[in-house]
Every structure is written in C-alpha cells, then in structure tokens.
Amino acid sequence: MGLRVIEDGMAVGRTPVAGLTRRGMALGAACGAMMVGIVVATGLLPAGLRAAPPGASPVLHGDILRGRDLADSICSDCHAFVQGGPAMIGPDLYGVVGRPVAGTAGYDFSPALRAHRREVWTVGTLSAWLKDPAVFAPGTRMGFEGVESNLDRTDIIAYLQSLSAPK
C-alpha cells in the first residue's frame, strides 16, 4: 500500500512511502521501471515518514508510457519529441525539463513566454503551463486550452522528464 499522491488538492496516483519535507514535497522511488516519484501535499509529516534532505530535488510520480501516449495524442501535431528534432508550430520538447523557459535556440517564442525566460521548466512550471497556458503566460500564441486532469499532466510531465540525453 502506497501513499496517496496529492497535487493541487486532488489525488493523482500512489507512490510507496518515501519522505515528506516540511514544505510538502515527498521523494521516493516508485514501483515499476517506468515510474519515478513525487508527492505534493500539505500539512504535517504523517507518522512513520522521514523528512527528505534539505534542497533535495523532487521528481514526478507518473506513468511514463501513459504520458507518452497522451503527449502523442495531444501535443505531437505541434511538437517533436526527439533529440535534435525540428521546431514545428512549437519547439522540440526533447530535454525540455531543466531547460530555461523560452530557451530553445532557433525558435521564435512569444513575448509572453520570453517574459518567463529567467525561469526553468520544472515539474511546477510545466504543470502550471500545461494546466492553462493562457494563465501561465497571458498573451501566449499557443492555442491550447490546457490539460485539466492532474493525473494526465503528471503522466505527461513524467514522459517529458524521461526525454533527455543519456548522462
């Protein structure tokens, strides 16, 4: 039995018990080869959990394969997902996690996204962007209403996290 994953006040999945920080982030390895783990919650540490080390980087709990399928059906008309892929209507999303917002060379981002260029695409920024691009960056040219489902966003971001060059 795992700990219920909470994001924006909604349950989005389960992860094995890991460690919650006092800020509400939990780290942990998730079950299955295609999963990584984060819990976003509020409140005190539940009994039996240990605090994650200060400054630990959270990773997302999501189903990478389901995220790939969602990204393919929702995003692939406008975005490539391969290393060195072409900019299409939108930029290539390979390696987007950890990249500066509006930081893809050779792509003409809207002024709305360029206003965020000092930020980095993290779990949090990607979730906010995917939830409602027009709220994240008012005036964006991206004609997409967003992904309302926390579970769907979680899985898409897990897939995006998996897209990076081997280290």
Side-chain angles (χ1 to χ4, degrees):
M1 178 68 84
L3 181 66
R4 193 84 171 142
V5 176
I6 307 295
E7 178 184 323
D8 298 334
M10 296 184 67
V12 297
R14 292 190 181 275
T15 187
V17 173
L20 284 178
T21 69
R22 295 188 190 278
R23 292 180 306 246
M25 302 291 255
L27 300 175
C31 55
M34 300 307 290
M35 307 286 277
V36 291
I38 185 175
V39 175
V40 179
T42 59
L44 301 173
L45 292 174
L49 295 183
R50 57 183 166 66
S57 298
V59 292
L60 182 70
H61 173 78
D63 183 325
I64 293 171
L65 294 177
R66 183 173 179 275
R68 180 196 63 200
D69 292 344
L70 286 166
D72 185 54
S73 68
I74 296 170
C75 314
S76 65
D77 286 347
C78 299
H79 297 279
F81 296 92
V82 296
Q83 187 172 11
M88 297 166 52
I89 294 169
D92 180 23
L93 296 179
Y94 185 90
V96 70
V97 178
R99 180 189 307 160
V101 174
T104 302
Y107 185 79
D108 182 28
F109 289 92
S110 68
L113 269 179
R114 286 196 308 264
H116 290 269
R117 69 178 166 249
R118 292 186 179 173
E119 297 175 48
V120 172
W121 287 121
T122 64
V123 170
T125 54
L126 281 165
S127 183
W129 169 254
L130 288 171
K131 184 173 186 175
D132 193 337
V135 168
F136 180 86
T140 182
R141 292 188 304 238
M142 186 161 148
F144 176 66
E145 291 185 20
V147 178
E148 175 119 359
S149 166
N150 290 335
L151 180 59
D152 290 351
R153 283 195 321 274
T154 297
D155 291 346
I156 291 167
I157 296 168
Y159 170 62
L160 293 174
Q161 282 187 313
S162 76
L163 300 178
S164 61
K167 302 203 180 203

